[in-house]
């Protein structure tokens, strides 16, 4: 999703969205964020775990309206995102920089992702208000 007051930047952003999506997909795959491989577990006490492959990362979560905030206790980094639940699907959208924070915190693969991240950052440098999202399906 794009949010920008500069129409030319917005139009350029929309035109570049396919490239951004392709680059983001590559980044997420390199980090291990592939379909069915990342599991979010939210507990009633506002704690949870993000599992990516064999790695478990503790999180604390809070919800205010449609804003979901995840805080990573080990790094004290927080990521605020828009959350929407439809049936058994959770869709989250966040500022592009925040998605990179989630990926690098969960995977600890900052160095191996640096080339893809710099490519993505160069694509995003002229686009204000780009929100990227992930979709999770509830498993019973």
């Amino acid at each position: 999703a794009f949010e920008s007051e500069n129409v030319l930047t917005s139009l350029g952003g929309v035109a570049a969205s396919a490239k951004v999506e392709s680059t983001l997909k590559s980044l997420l795959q390199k980090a291990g964020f592939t379909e069915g491989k990342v599991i979010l577990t939210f507990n009633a006490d506002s704690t949870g775990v993000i599992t990516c492959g064999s790695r478990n990362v503790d999180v604390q979560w809070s919800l205010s309206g449609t804003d979901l905030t995840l805080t990573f206790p080990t790094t004290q980094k927080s990521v605020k995102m828009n959350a929407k639940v439809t049936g058994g699907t959770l869709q989250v959208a966040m500022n592009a920089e925040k998605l990179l924070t989630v990926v690098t915190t969960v995977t600890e693969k900052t160095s191996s992702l640096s080339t893809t991240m710099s490519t993505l950052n160069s694509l995003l440098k002229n686009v204000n208000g780009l929100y990227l999202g992930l979709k999770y399906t509830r498993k019973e």
Side-chain angles (χ1 to χ4, degrees), residues 10-31:
S10 293
L11 292 174
V14 171
S17 66
K19 179 67 175 168
V20 169
E21 186 174 335
S22 172
T23 303
L24 177 64
K25 184 175 181 178
S26 173
L27 170 89
L28 292 174
Q29 287 175 338
K30 286 179 183 179

Side-chain angles (χ1 to χ4, degrees), residues 23-33 52 99-121:
T23 303
L24 177 64
K25 184 175 181 178
S26 173
L27 170 89
L28 292 174
Q29 287 175 338
K30 286 179 183 179
F33 272 65
C52 183
L99 180 57
L100 295 177
T101 297
V102 171
V103 171
T104 57
T105 301
V106 170
T107 65
E108 291 187 329
K109 292 187 177 181
T110 306
S111 60
S112 65
L113 301 174
S114 62
T115 302
T116 307
M117 287 173 64
S118 64
T119 300
L120 184 60
N121 283 333

Side-chain angles (χ1 to χ4, degrees), residues 10-66:
S10 293
L11 292 174
V14 171
S17 66
K19 179 67 175 168
V20 169
E21 186 174 335
S22 172
T23 303
L24 177 64
K25 184 175 181 178
S26 173
L27 170 89
L28 292 174
Q29 287 175 338
K30 286 179 183 179
F33 272 65
T34 57
E35 188 173 340
K37 300 293 182 189
V38 178
I39 300 168
L40 296 176
T41 304
F42 294 113
N43 301 318
D45 66 355
S46 297
T47 64
V49 176
I50 299 176
T51 302
C52 183
S54 62
R55 182 164 163 72
N56 293 321
V57 177
D58 292 329
V59 296
Q60 296 171 338
W61 64 272
S62 63
L63 188 63
S64 177
T66 60

Side-chain angles (χ1 to χ4, degrees), residues 73-112:
T74 56
T75 62
Q76 292 303 308
K77 291 182 181 180
S78 291
V79 176
K80 184 177 177 180
M81 59 194 79
N82 179 271
K84 178 182 176 184
V85 176
T86 307
T89 301
L90 167 66
Q91 293 178 312
V92 294
M94 66 205 85
N95 180 287
E97 293 170 9
K98 296 296 183 180
L99 180 57
L100 295 177
T101 297
V102 171
V103 171
T104 57
T105 301
V106 170
T107 65
E108 291 187 329
K109 292 187 177 181
T110 306
S111 60
S112 65

